Amino acid sequence: SGSYNFCIERPSPTYLAFVYNEDIISDGIYPMGLCQGDCDEDADCGEGLYCFERDGFEEVPGCEGPGEEGVDYCVGREGRMLRG
């Protein structure tokens, strides 16, 4: 059976969004915005944002929703203070 791709509207600008895929990497669609992931380093995130690394479903500071397990998201200053 085939696979399907679809778009949905985020309930709010701070709702976690997993935007990483091979097309984004190859097209160089960076930087990612607030509460978007999967980032690997701060440089993957927009100006003033930082990559918040996590292992499971840890709460992402300044963002809403569970996101994807183990996915790292771009956050504001509050996330930078909390990361290890």
Side-chain angles (χ1 to χ4, degrees):
S1 171
S3 64
Y4 299 94
N5 296 318
F6 56 91
C7 296
I8 60 169
E9 186 173 336
R10 290 167 73 182
S12 74
T14 58
Y15 199 85
L16 294 172
F18 180 57
V19 297
Y20 172 89
N21 66 42
E22 293 301 320
D23 294 332
I24 289 174
I25 297 301
S26 64
D27 291 343
I29 301 175
Y30 280 109
M32 287 184 268
L34 180 64
C35 302
Q36 293 183 337
D38 186 19
C39 57
D40 292 318
E41 57 187 21
D42 293 346
D44 295 339
C45 301
E47 186 175 338
L49 300 177
Y50 305 92
C51 187
F52 184 80
E53 297 179 4
R54 59 192 202 144
D55 296 318
F57 285 104
E58 296 90 348
E59 185 175 328
V60 179
C63 300
E64 304 170 66
E68 298 290 324
E69 184 174 10
V71 169
D72 306 325
Y73 291 92
C74 296
V75 297
R77 181 180 302 173
E78 66 277 9
R80 183 178 190 194
M81 302 301 202
L82 294 174
R83 68 182 184 179

